Amino acid sequence: EGMALPQRIFPPEKISMDWQQRQRPGAGLCNLGSTCYINVILQCLTYTPPLANYLLSYKHSQSCQQQGFCMMCTMEAHVRKVLCSSASAVLPGAVLRDLKFIGEEFEYGRQENAYEFLRCTLNAMHRACLSCHLDVSSQETTIVHQIFGGFMKSRVTCLSCQAVVDSYKAFLDVSLDIRAASSLTTVLEDCVTPKQLDQKECFRCSKCKKKAAASKRVTVHRAPRVLTLCLERADQWTGTKISKFVEYPEYLDLRPYMSDTAGEPLLCSLYAIVVHSGDTCLEGHFLCYAKASNGLWYKMDDESVDNCDIHTVLGQQAYLLFYAR
């Protein structure tokens, strides 16, 4: 309130959630030694329809004025290379060459975490869309935020006088604690259940002016077009890998987890997952499953791209889940 409307970097009405062209799946990606964590994220982003549509349109590169490294131009060239190549596998050379620009912590030849690479890649793409002349409120209007971005609402309720304080936070992905859950819906239900604040979290109510007990409820206030979920498989206390199976649906209704639970269902469809195999989170191998523009599912394990069915996809020990509205 009281602020000027943000300058829209990319108009949301131009985002197409359906593939503009349908074809067989593209090429696999060569593994140059411990680069599987890069390959799975590149493949999942390549098969994200609204992002692929945008990148294949050349809209970014035609107007890009960035000097040196640009993650959007890099992804544009990569997606075109993968989807248009007649080769069975291609090398993501530009991404590997500029790894340090994507995330300073990444070191070529060392196994890293696919989730961290996803976050750094989305942030690098977001930065590439920004101009230094833009105001802060415009940051949530880039193509990256238009596709992957949503808003969480946090409501703190004073248990003494029932006054409420609302705050909002933008997100590009959601990380979920799966230790006590057997299904994704159970995890999400727990997330939106009000919880009493720890006594150490000193809450002073602005209405009754008391240091009072309070509860907090977090809900999805604005759903993203593409919802990216990380099922945390590294136990935060012991560091060991959580290897249990967590059930997840092909179609997910976000409406029960929204700030406004009334209204039409907000259906999302699963289109990609990342799986980690190995005894610990610090080693092992990443592979992914993705739905190509022809509507069929494929197992993508570095250089190999093989047909599979939805039952195989839903039976995995998933680490990352990608749902599209």
Side-chain angles (χ1 to χ4, degrees), residues 305-318:
V305 176
D306 301 308
N307 280 81
C308 68
D309 57 32
I310 185 60
H311 303 293
T312 300
V313 174
L314 296 178
Q316 300 302 311
Q317 196 186 99

Side-chain angles (χ1 to χ4, degrees), residues 156-166 202-214:
V156 177
T157 304
C158 174
L159 298 181
S160 175
C161 71
Q162 302 304 308
V164 298
V165 178
D166 292 337
C202 189
F203 172 75
R204 183 181 291 276
C205 180
S206 58
K207 184 179 179 183
C208 65
K209 310 300 181 186
K210 295 178 183 176
K211 278 188 179 178

Side-chain angles (χ1 to χ4, degrees), residues 29 38 50 73 90 115-116 129 136 139 141 148-149 154 156 201 229 245 255 271 279 290 314 323:
L29 299 179
I38 296 172
C73 288
V90 297
Y115 178 47
E116 290 306 316
C129 296
V136 175
Q139 292 190 14
T141 70
F148 297 95
S154 176
V156 177
E201 297 182 67
L229 302 173
F245 174 73
R255 181 58 69 187
Y271 73 90
D279 296 329
L314 296 178
Y323 284 92

